[in-house]
């Protein structure tokens, strides 16, 4: 038996071919042989720390090739990878560690003090891993002695139904849910995307996304690895580095903010984009006007696709064929999508309803939450996405809204309930309502509307305590104090009224 995901992903990898370039004053080049060697070294280290098949390995570490190798090492060891957003605070992280009980939790060396008590209390072994770029940087305990570990590792056999990763996604109740993804989920999706988007060994992807979410970790990395192509691996997004490396690249995967920022830069011209064969957008809605402006500027049409943490990718505009602005294209080959009413009855084409998905990409359920799983995953395999959509006669899907209050800011998801719970804890706050309104850079920006017991109210104190508990991207960019929240006759807060009132907050 093979290791379904690891062996599958590296099936086309050939030893000395380039896997990644890390640009810089002293560029680093990483071959597929390195991938095999370094993931073996890290897998040996994990096993030495007591990691057994099925154990969770959690990591909140800076973006680096070694972070990708840790993902592959975990898969090779038969364990389950749990990547965590580097913006999460210790308060947020402790929930994930408590819920997932990882055997090992690996953090940034600078965060050791913040996490050592928590790891000891929860019985996780704490290790550290920095960016292994130069001798001056703190490589952390995990990378401190790379030569001390063998580059031979007997990869643990795993089948397609075994778990490969748990990725947490925020919930409507404020509690995050761990989506359990199998080897089969990840490999089948990567195979479909390689074929559909025509990735080959000749592709060079500009990788500017974080590697703790589906987009940067699975869509970008799995697809390029499976194709045997290579990455230009950047620490994050900036117009300068993207434009510098575009002439050596063939494709970019990004959230809409990447594309609006590029369009704001006059250096981004048809000439600058001429060697690129593909620009892909996802994680948040790409405005049709951005699509049109991009085509006017470069002569190329962005390919928009749609996915979720629970399902990887579900639909995509075609590679050859009509990339229709404002739509996310038809279902991927092998994936079924339908638009339903609340009872799961399919609606006729053109009607707005709940988007449901079924296929080999759909996850196994939420970690430790059978009741949540039952609410969202029907017994016959259809997953209720929470997205409202329509489907045209020819199968093209348009996302028109969300059935819940989810805010998507620069490609990161924020559930208002989670922010409201933290605000409501603050002394002097009677109640709050958190909404997303248009933001020129992030698509949506977070606004908190609060009602307080007495004036004057110390907004700065509130901001400080939000800062201790919530990742920066979730914190409201504007706080408004009102005498009362608008409610309907049932007593429910009218978020649509608030969204209308504050729609120009960031105009
Ligand atoms: C940074 N800030 C943000 C965000 N990013 N605030 C709200 N939303 C954000 N996304 C804060 C910073 O902390 C800072 O706060 C201020 O905004 C300005 O930061 P800036 O330097 O401009 O931001 P940046 O570092 O350039 O980051 C922007 C970014 C980044 C490049 C758009 O957010 C990003 O990489 N987003 C991609 C997220 C992603 O990978 N999503 C995929 C999820 P202050 O100045 O006040 O300190 S996977 C998924 O969704 C599904 C499955 C799918 O379909 O792919
Ligand atoms: P996540 O919680 O990170 O898994 O984000 C998944 C959500 O992102 C989906 O449920 C959609 O609401 C949204 N999303 C992803 N891609 C697109 C897209 N191309 N257009 C609109 N929304 C999208």
């Amino acid at each position: 038996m093979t290791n379904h995901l690891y062996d599958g992903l590296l099936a086309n990898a050939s030893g000395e071919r380039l896997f990644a370039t890390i640009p810089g004053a002293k560029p680093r080049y990483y071959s597929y042989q390195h991938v095999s060697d370094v993931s073996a070294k890290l897998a040996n280290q994990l096993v030495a720390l007591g990691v057994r098949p099925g154990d969770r390995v959690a990591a909140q570490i800076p973006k680096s090739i070694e972070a990708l190798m840790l993902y592959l090492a975990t898969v090779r060891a038969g364990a389950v990878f749990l990547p965590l957003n580097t913006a999460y605070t210790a308060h947020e992280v402790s929930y994930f560690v408590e819920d997932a009980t990882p055997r090992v939790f690996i953090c940034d060396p600078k965060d050791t003090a913040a996490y050592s008590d928590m790891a000891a209390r929860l019985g996780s072994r704490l290790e550290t891993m920095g960016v292994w770029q130069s001798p001056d940087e703190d490589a952390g305990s995990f990378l401190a002695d790379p030569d001390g570990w063998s580059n031979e590792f007997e990869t643990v056999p795993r089948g397609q139904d075994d778990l490969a990763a748990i990725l947490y996604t925020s919930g409507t109740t404020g509690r995050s849910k761990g989506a359990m993804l199998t080897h089969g989920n990840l490999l089948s999706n990567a195979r479909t995307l390689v074929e559909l988007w025509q990735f080959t060994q000749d592709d060079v992807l500009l990788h500017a996304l974080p590697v703790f979410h589906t987009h940067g970790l699975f869509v970008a990395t799995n697809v390029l690895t499976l194709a045997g192509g290579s990455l230009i691996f950047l620490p994050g997004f900036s117009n300068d580095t993207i434009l510098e490396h575009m002439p050596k690249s063939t494709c970019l995967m990004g959230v809409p903010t990447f594309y609006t920022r590029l369009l704001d830069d006059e250096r981004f011209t048809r000439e600058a984009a001429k060697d690129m064969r593909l620009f892909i957008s996802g994680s948040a809605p790409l405005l049709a006007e951005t699509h049109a402006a991009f085509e006017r500027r470069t002569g190329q049409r962005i390919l928009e696709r749609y996915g979720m943490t629970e399902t990887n990718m579900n639909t995509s505009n075609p590679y050859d064929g009509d990339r229709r602005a404002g739509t996310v294209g038809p279902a991927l080959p092998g994936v079924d999508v339908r638009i339903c009413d609340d009872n799961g009855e399919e609606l006729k084409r053109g009607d707005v309803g709940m988007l449901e998905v079924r296929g080999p990409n759909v996850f196994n359920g939420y970690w430790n939450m059978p009741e949540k799983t039952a609410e969202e995953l029907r017994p016959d395999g259809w997953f209720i996405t929470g997205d409202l959509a329509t489907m045209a006669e020819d199968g093209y899907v348009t996302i028109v809204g969300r059935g819940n209050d989810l805010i998507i800011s620069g490609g990161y998801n924020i559930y208002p309930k989670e922010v409201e719970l933290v605000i409501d804890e603050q002394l002097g706050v009677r109640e709050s309502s958190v909404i997303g309104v248009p933001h020129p850079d992030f698509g949506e920006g977070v606004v908190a509307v609060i009602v307080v017991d007495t004036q004057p109210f110390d907004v700065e104190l509130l901001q400080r305590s939000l800062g201790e508990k919530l990742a920066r991207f979730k914190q409201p960019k504007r706080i408004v104090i009102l005498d009362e929240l608008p409610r309907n006759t049932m007593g429910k807060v009218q978020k649509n009224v608030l969204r209308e009132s504050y729609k120009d907050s960031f105009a």
Side-chain angles (χ1 to χ4, degrees):
M1 192 178 165
T2 58
N3 182 295
H4 188 74
L5 181 59
Y6 180 78
D7 292 326
L9 282 181
L10 285 138
N12 300 318
S14 64
E16 293 314 317
R17 273 194 80 86
L18 186 64
F19 168 70
T21 305
I22 299 127
K26 286 194 198 139
R28 278 174 64 206
Y29 302 97
Y30 224 92
S31 69
Y32 277 92
Q33 188 60 48
H34 281 115
V35 172
S36 157
D37 291 350
V38 177
S39 66
K41 284 173 184 287
L42 298 182
N44 279 314
Q45 211 167 336
L46 288 173
V47 170
L49 289 171
V51 171
R52 300 287 170 261
D55 283 349
R56 276 76 57 212
V57 173
Q60 188 193 33
I61 47 179
K63 183 174 179 179
S64 68
I65 289 289
E66 288 70 28
L68 293 184
M69 295 305 110
L70 181 65
Y71 152 55
L72 293 178
T74 305
V75 171
R76 292 186 76 174
V80 181
F81 191 54
L82 197 175
L84 292 166
N85 192 322
T86 47
Y88 290 154
T89 61
H91 178 79
E92 289 164 306
V93 168
S94 66
Y95 167 80
F96 304 117
V97 174
E98 188 153 4
D99 192 51
T101 58
R103 173 81 56 195
V104 182
F105 170 45
I106 304 169
C107 72
D108 190 324
K110 71 174 174 34
D111 294 333
T112 318
Y115 290 133
S116 49
D117 286 353
M118 174 199 70
R121 180 169 53 84
L122 299 173
S124 281
R125 164 85 185 218
L126 187 69
E127 293 283 330
T128 60
M129 187 158 151
V131 184
W132 199 23
Q133 223 97 286
S134 77
D136 319 328
E137 278 163 297
D138 185 351
S141 57
F142 219 72
L143 295 171
D145 179 25
D147 298 334
W149 298 95
S150 166
N151 56 9
E152 300 282 336
F153 180 78
E154 201 160 324
T155 301
V156 175
R158 294 265 97 181
Q160 57 178 355
D161 295 332
D162 287 314
L163 287 193
I166 296 181
L167 264 63
Y168 276 83
T169 156
S170 309
T172 40
T173 58
R175 273 189 75 201
S176 288
K177 304 166 289 185
M180 299 190 286
L181 296 157
T182 65
H183 282 238
N185 293 150
L186 300 179
L187 186 61
S188 69
N189 211 240
R191 282 183 172 149
T192 304
L193 299 177
V194 166
E195 193 159 331
L196 187 75
W197 294 339
Q198 301 188 13
F199 273 89
T200 70
Q201 287 196 341
D202 297 329
D203 273 304
V204 181
L205 177 88
L206 272 172
H207 194 306
L209 290 159
V211 291
F212 40 70
H213 282 318
T214 298
H215 201 163
L217 183 60
F218 299 141
V219 188
T221 309
N222 286 355
V223 163
L224 264 289
T225 309
L226 181 62
S230 77
L231 310 171
I232 294 186
F233 202 69
L234 305 169
F237 180 88
S238 86
N239 281 356
D240 288 351
T241 45
I242 291 284
L243 290 167
E244 180 186 346
H245 298 291
M246 203 170 266
K248 292 163 272 177
S249 309
T250 64
C251 43
L252 173 68
M253 292 186 192
V255 296
T257 301
F258 284 19
Y259 296 110
T260 49
R261 286 188 181 183
L262 280 170
L263 285 169
D264 279 342
D265 192 319
E266 58 189 22
R267 294 172 299 168
F268 183 56
T269 57
R270 184 179 283 253
E271 173 65 19
K274 75 175 183 351
D275 298 313
M276 298 285 281
R277 72 168 183 93
L278 186 58
F279 293 94
I280 301 178
S281 177
S283 307
L286 181 79
L287 295 178
E289 66 202 55
T290 308
H291 194 281
F294 197 92
E295 186 174 11
R296 278 197 303 277
R297 181 81 67 86
T298 64
Q300 302 202 40
R301 290 174 75 81
I302 297 176
L303 184 156
E304 185 173 7
R305 60 40 170 199
Y306 155 78
M308 288 186 80
T309 301
E310 288 91 333
T311 60
N312 282 274
M313 299 303 102
N314 298 315
T315 72
S316 170
N317 273 282
Y319 185 77
D320 291 319
D322 185 13
R323 297 185 194 164
R324 216 172 282 165
T327 83
V328 293
L332 293 178
V335 175
D336 295 320
V337 299
R338 65 181 189 186
I339 312 292
C340 291
D341 66 14
D342 291 344
N343 303 316
E345 291 298 322
E346 194 163 351
L347 297 170
K348 63 177 193 324
R349 295 290 164 111
D351 286 356
V352 174
M354 178 58 67
L355 182 63
E356 299 193 1
V357 188
R358 187 170 68 178
N361 54 322
V362 174
F363 75 138
N364 236 2
Y366 296 112
W367 176 259
N368 275 342
M369 288 188 178
E371 60 310 321
K372 274 276 157 214
T373 304
E375 272 171 33
E376 295 178 32
L377 198 54
R378 299 185 189 279
D380 57 1
W382 286 99
F383 173 63
I384 305 165
T385 61
D387 290 312
L388 298 173
T390 63
M391 193 188 287
E393 287 300 336
D394 58 5
Y396 275 64
V397 173
T398 302
I399 310 285
V400 298
R402 299 171 204 128
N404 45 48
D405 293 323
L406 171 70
I407 300 166
I408 306 186
S409 175
Y412 285 136
N413 290 5
I414 300 150
Y415 266 99
K417 190 77 200 168
E418 188 187 353
V419 185
E420 289 163 4
L421 287 172
V422 177
I423 296 177
D424 293 349
E425 274 173 11
Q426 184 73 23
L427 206 64
V429 172
R430 191 173 307 158
E431 59 176 348
S432 64
S433 183
V434 167
I435 50 170
V437 299
H439 189 287
D441 187 27
F442 295 126
E444 285 185 299
V446 177
V447 174
V449 184
I450 62 174
V451 179
V452 298
D453 288 327
T454 44
Q455 293 267 28
F457 176 78
D458 191 344
V459 174
E460 271 176 32
L461 189 67
L462 172 62
Q463 281 164 329
R464 267 206 304 282
S465 75
L466 286 167
E468 281 162 22
K469 295 199 168 146
L470 294 175
R472 187 88 188 140
F473 68 88
K474 296 180 192 169
Q475 295 167 32
K477 295 197 190 294
R478 181 178 177 200
I479 295 177
V480 179
I481 299 178
L482 284 191
D483 291 338
E484 57 182 26
L485 297 176
R487 294 193 131 85
N488 64 17
T489 48
M490 309 288 288
K492 197 169 179 296
V493 175
Q494 291 171 301
K495 290 209 169 187
N496 52 337
V497 172
L498 292 176
R499 278 192 285 263
E500 180 57 28
S501 304
Y502 299 105
K503 66 177 191 309
D504 295 328
S505 295
F506 307 112

